[in-house]
Amino acid sequence: LAQQRLLIKGGKVVNDDQSVVADVYVEDGVVQQVGPNLNPEPSTGLVVLDATNKLVIPGGIDTHTHMQFPFMGSRSKDDFYTGTKAAIAGGTTMIIDFAIPQKGCSLIEAFDTWKSWADPKVCCDYALHVAVTWWSNKVKEEMKTLVQNKGVNSFKMFMAYKDVYMVNDEELYEAFSCCKELGAVAQVHAENGELIARGAKKMLAMGITGPEGHEMCRPEEVEAEATQRAITIANAVNCPLFVVHVMSKSAARVISNARREGKVVYGEPIAASLGTDGTNYWNKDWAHAAAYVMGPPLRPDPSTPGFLMSLLANDDLSVTGTDNCTFDICQKALGKDDFTKIPNGVNGVEDRMSVIWEKGVYSGKMDENRFVAVTSTNAAKIFNLYPKKGRIAVGSDADIVIWDPKATRTISAKTHHQANNFNIFEGMVCHGVAVATVSRGKVVYEGGAFNVIAGEGKYVSRPPFPPYVYKRVRQREQV
């Protein structure tokens, strides 16, 4: 099929470093021109989008999703079709999901499995992080293969989920060392799994079985301790570290302090930790409380979201994901009598951009350029997708969103596209709405209507040694 030719007229093009009123001309899925009053010839067959009084921004990159993830005796509701469709409705044009092998299993097989689920279904571009859930020479060899042949440049280690995914400090050291050799970014789920396991037993023994027990057995310091430990180990091997789903003030402070000490570490708060809080675990309605259960948990301190947003605004925290891993009310009920059996996960892939605009830009904490940085550009730089992704410039992929900063929408499970019967942001009124989404130069969503088929998205390979991350690391190595 001939690619659409597309002209986006009259908007304000917003990148992470500047905003400029300009038209954007797209052909063959790539930005060809950015400038005032463009009139590409011939005018026949040209699709024109009017962006007057609106912002033209790079499509969002969600650094953390779990589509159709088999987890805790269930499988997350959003598959790669509904999940990516919801993403484009919210202004996100790329997701990075996680291929997660069981202990003792092949990383490459896990990667191939996830890719086989995604390829026929994705409505936007995607990439895959791969989890390291155990350690051996085979794992080391497979990491090398994934980096060199499969376009993977990030590996995630779990410090929680004891006996399921958790690795110990020695394994972390080995995995971090391997990441650094290969030019990959090491990621951690930072919580002390040993303390959580003990705490959960204690809560259940005391007769605390409801969702509030989930937060009580994994309090903030459990997250902060693991964050500090991961940073210490990564720093010992001079490996760049990416801390996924930063949920608490104390963990965020640890990252902030480490960055100020010059350590190469990035923190990823998520839509949930920026837009809601853990007071919901004490809701009298069990189903409501359980819907918010995720690991690490949301924090009961209601000033947490604002605190995390402030740190995101001033570059102590770097990027935003969602950890979109949806389980409906029936699936959550697996843990009706035991909070440790409630499947962990919440929604967010469709809501992230609006929640961050509302809580970040509309509230006056960050400007439009920082918004683009934390929703798209920084992720593209860290995971070596930049400037193909995360920027509107000649030669960049035409993943573009027309964003109306004045429009509002009310988030609700009744109207969202995520495949779940609950939304943790229910009733939140957000300023900032994606009115049109362009993926690879094609208008895939406009005015509430989709124009996309399953499988139109592509897997994106990410080369190792992202310069944004590794320039400092390499220099330190030499010194």
Side-chain angles (χ1 to χ4, degrees):
L1 285 173
Q3 283 275 3
Q4 263 181 330
R5 292 168 62 238
L6 177 67
L7 180 64
I8 302 170
K9 281 199 79 70
K12 178 159 68 160
V13 175
V14 182
N15 281 310
D16 66 317
D17 54 352
Q18 61 177 6
S19 305
V20 51
V21 176
D23 299 345
V24 180
Y25 173 60
V26 172
E27 204 176 309
D28 297 328
V30 174
V31 177
Q32 306 289 347
Q33 287 176 281
V34 180
N37 310 316
L38 299 179
N39 285 308
E41 295 294 329
S43 55
T44 50
L46 183 68
V47 178
V48 180
L49 285 178
D50 181 12
T52 310
N53 298 327
K54 298 185 181 66
L55 307 180
V56 181
I57 63 173
I61 300 172
D62 188 337
T63 50
H64 193 146
T65 65
H66 296 284
M67 304 305 176
Q68 60 196 73
F69 178 32
F71 185 51
M72 293 181 75
S74 205
R75 184 183 280 257
S76 61
K77 291 290 282 188
D78 279 309
D79 66 9
F80 279 97
Y81 176 65
T82 58
T84 53
K85 200 172 162 183
I88 57 179
T92 289
T93 55
M94 180 169 181
I95 62 164
I96 314 184
D97 208 88
F98 289 85
I100 305 184
Q102 298 296 322
K103 278 191 187 293
C105 293
S106 159
L107 276 63
I108 290 170
E109 278 174 28
F111 173 86
D112 290 341
T113 299
W114 258 261
K115 197 164 176 305
S116 72
W117 292 342
D119 283 340
K121 291 185 181 175
V122 283
C123 298
C124 67
D125 286 357
Y126 80 103
L128 291 170
H129 308 292
V130 178
V132 174
T133 53
W134 61 297
W135 191 254
S136 72
N137 281 335
K138 179 180 181 229
V139 172
K140 190 172 179 174
E141 283 307 307
E142 291 201 314
M143 286 172 74
K144 188 175 174 182
T145 303
L146 285 164
V147 170
Q148 292 175 353
N149 304 332
K150 306 275 192 178
V152 174
N153 71 4
S154 47
F155 295 92
K156 177 185 181 181
M157 281 57 77
F158 290 89
M159 300 170 79
Y161 300 116
K162 190 179 175 195
D163 301 328
V164 184
Y165 297 135
M166 183 172 130
V167 291
N168 62 32
D169 288 1
E170 184 188 357
E171 293 168 317
L172 274 183
Y173 187 95
E174 294 289 353
F176 288 173
S177 303
C178 186
C179 283
K180 183 175 151 268
E181 273 171 47
L182 296 170
V185 176
Q187 299 172 293
V188 286
H189 172 133
E191 282 185 292
N192 186 314
E194 195 57 59
L195 290 180
I196 292 167
R198 306 260 171 174
K201 282 193 182 115
K202 189 169 145 190
M203 291 298 147
L204 293 171
M206 289 164 70
I208 297 170
T209 61
E212 70 282 2
H214 174 75
E215 202 283 331
M216 291 165 76
C217 80
R218 46 209 307 167
E220 275 199 33
E221 54 265 35
V222 169
E223 186 188 356
E225 182 279 327
T227 304
Q228 181 66 60
R229 185 157 39 103
I231 290 170
T232 305
I233 297 169
N235 193 56
V237 296
N238 192 19
C239 172
L241 185 68
F242 185 99
V243 182
V244 304
H245 50 43
V246 179
M247 303 301 289
S248 64
K249 286 182 172 180
S250 38
R253 280 194 193 101
V254 168
I255 293 166
S256 174
N257 291 339
R259 283 173 70 82
R260 284 165 198 214
E261 288 162 7
K263 298 190 170 85
V264 185
V265 55
Y266 306 95
E268 169 201 76
I270 57 172
S273 63
L274 296 165
T276 184
D277 64 57
T279 54
N280 290 287
Y281 296 132
W282 280 265
N283 193 293
K284 291 280 186 283
D285 174 1
W286 187 92
H288 177 101
Y292 288 81
V293 168
M294 64 169 298
L298 292 155
R299 302 303 173 186
D301 174 351
S303 64
T304 301
F307 181 87
L308 294 177
M309 186 60 82
S310 296
L311 264 58
L312 186 63
N314 70 21
D315 206 32
D316 284 340
L317 298 172
S318 306
V319 301
T320 55
T322 58
D323 200 2
N324 191 91
C325 186
T326 47
F327 296 101
D328 67 20
I329 289 161
C330 290
Q331 290 170 305
K332 293 274 187 180
L334 289 168
K336 193 80 180 78
D337 307 310
D338 177 352
F339 65 81
T340 65
K341 296 190 168 65
I342 300 170
N344 285 206
V346 297
N347 62 277
V349 74
E350 183 174 353
D351 316 300
R352 176 181 70 118
M353 302 283 279
S354 287
V355 166
I356 293 165
W357 188 274
E358 176 66 25
K359 302 288 187 185
V361 185
Y362 186 74
S363 73
K365 289 193 174 193
M366 65 172 71
D367 62 17
E368 60 198 23
N369 306 99
R370 182 66 190 167
F371 173 78
V372 165
V374 302
T375 56
S376 182
T377 310
N378 289 354
K381 288 177 177 176
I382 291 167
F383 296 113
N384 218 0
L385 298 158
Y386 186 84
K388 291 290 283 180
K389 309 283 186 195
R391 188 161 190 85
I392 296 176
V394 174
S396 296
D397 286 356
D399 290 354
I400 298 170
V401 174
I402 297 179
W403 188 262
D404 190 341
K406 301 268 191 306
T408 60
R409 72 183 182 98
T410 303
I411 298 177
S412 173
K414 293 184 186 68
T415 52
H416 72 197
H417 301 90
Q418 295 153 135
N420 206 16
N421 56 5
F422 192 94
N423 191 308
I424 58 167
F425 308 110
E426 187 69 41
M428 184 191 292
V429 178
C430 288
H431 293 78
V433 177
V435 290
T437 304
V438 177
S439 170
R440 292 187 165 260
K442 178 183 169 182
V443 183
V444 288
Y445 176 80
E446 188 183 5
F450 291 94
N451 174 33
V452 67
I453 50 175
E456 276 194 312
K458 297 277 183 284
Y459 173 74
V460 181
S461 281
R462 298 170 296 137
F465 296 107
Y468 181 75
V469 177
Y470 266 91
K471 271 180 187 164
R472 288 186 292 165
V473 172
R474 282 176 147 168
Q475 184 63 22
R476 288 171 193 196
E477 202 63 7
Q478 287 174 358
V479 172

